[in-house]
Amino acid sequence: GESVGLHLPTLSVQEGDNSIINCAYSNSASDYFIWYKQESGKGPQFIIDIRSNMNKRQGQRVTVLLNKTVKHLSLQIAATQPGDSAVYFCAEKRANTGNQFYFGTGTSLTVIP
Amino acid sequence: GAVVSQHPSWVICKSGTSVKIECRSLDFQATTMFWYRQFPKQSLMLMATSNEGSKATYEQGVEKDKFLINHASLTLSTLTVTSAHPEDSSFYICSAQREGRTYEQYFGPGTRLTVT
């Protein structure tokens, strides 16, 4: 049969520009979040994480912002490079469901050289 | 460190047959492993949580008799897709949680299953 599903949102940026990828989560009990990068045909790679008692965390070229009031998470990539082209997912750990992580829809980032 | 492998990386099988996918943590012990399914251009959907030495916990809507999970050791979990049908064609990804490290989860490279 025909598969029906959501298509990934897409974002195109020029090389060297900053990228902002957004994620909305629905469970107010989520206490830990991770951003993953997934290249075609591969498993997800950890980028950066943040706990719910923080609102900002910085890594190398990446920053994650957490707004618990509106249940929103964003990933900022500075000076985006062609190697950053991939699909980005946020994943949330819900405080009352053990150690499982639940993934958001994802965003496909394309960096234009 | 923290490498997770999956075998096979891709498999094609005929409708009605069963396929086993292995997930191994190569350099650490994993008391918990997770199995995900991912359809093209979609997100990862958690299927089940596999705990070493006990029965797996399945997410709502996932048939436990169709997707058999065995976690016989601290470094190996297997997912068997029984009586596979074309709609089971998907990318199956496992992740392993390092023993004693609740928030550290490492993903395998995935297995592409095509059922003809």
Side-chain angles (χ1 to χ4, degrees):
Chain A
E2 185 180 359
S3 70
V4 179
L6 296 172
H7 288 285
L8 291 171
T10 58
L11 174 66
S12 294
V13 299
Q14 284 295 139
E15 180 178 358
D17 286 353
N18 297 333
S19 304
I20 300 177
I21 300 170
N22 297 302
C23 177
Y25 65 96
S26 56
N27 195 311
S28 58
S30 295
D31 61 357
Y32 181 63
F33 304 87
I34 301 178
W35 277 102
Y36 287 98
K37 173 185 180 183
Q38 185 181 30
E39 296 174 329
S40 182
K42 298 183 179 179
Q45 291 173 266
F46 174 95
I47 300 174
I48 192 168
D49 60 353
I50 189 167
R51 295 181 189 270
S52 60
N53 61 355
M54 304 169 71
N55 53 29
K56 181 178 180 179
R57 188 150 192 248
Q58 287 185 289
Q60 189 176 17
R61 277 202 310 122
V62 294
T63 301
V64 55
L65 299 178
L66 174 62
N67 185 330
K68 294 183 290 292
T69 304
V70 295
K71 298 198 212 48
H72 183 267
L73 202 63
S74 70
L75 175 70
Q76 300 178 3
I77 304 174
T80 316
Q81 302 167 1
D84 295 327
S85 293
V87 178
Y88 290 81
F89 294 99
C90 67
E92 61 179 308
K93 184 179 103 51
R94 298 170 187 168
N96 55 354
T97 59
N99 299 327
Q100 293 88 347
F101 279 84
Y102 297 90
F103 280 69
T105 307
T107 297
S108 176
L109 173 67
T110 300
V111 181
I112 304 164
Chain B
V3 178
V4 176
S5 71
Q6 283 185 239
H7 178 80
S9 54
W10 60 270
V11 57
I12 301 172
C13 71
K14 293 191 175 180
S15 191
T17 60
S18 295
V19 173
K20 182 187 282 189
I21 302 169
E22 293 184 349
C23 177
R24 291 183 186 272
S25 56
L26 298 185
D27 50 2
F28 65 99
Q29 294 189 323
T31 46
T32 303
M33 291 183 172
F34 303 92
W35 287 96
Y36 296 83
R37 180 169 53 182
Q38 185 177 32
F39 293 110
K41 297 194 185 301
Q42 293 190 30
S43 188
L44 282 77
M45 273 181 36
L46 179 64
M47 298 174 67
T49 302
S50 167
N51 294 299
E52 187 263 339
S54 65
K55 288 185 179 180
T57 304
Y58 291 82
E59 294 297 303
Q60 195 171 10
V62 177
E63 298 174 61
K64 63 180 181 181
D65 294 331
K66 180 165 185 63
F67 299 100
L68 300 179
I69 291 172
N70 184 278
H71 193 157
S73 79
L74 286 173
T75 58
L76 173 65
S77 175
T78 60
L79 169 69
T80 301
V81 183
T82 62
S83 187
H85 291 287
E87 56 266 31
D88 298 323
S89 298
S90 189
F91 194 49
Y92 291 87
I93 306 172
C94 73
S95 69
Q97 182 178 291
R98 192 193 287 260
E99 188 178 26
R101 306 276 187 93
T102 304
Y103 296 111
E104 290 186 20
Q105 202 174 139
Y106 302 94
F107 282 84
T111 296
R112 172 75 59 195
L113 169 63
T114 302
V115 185
T116 61

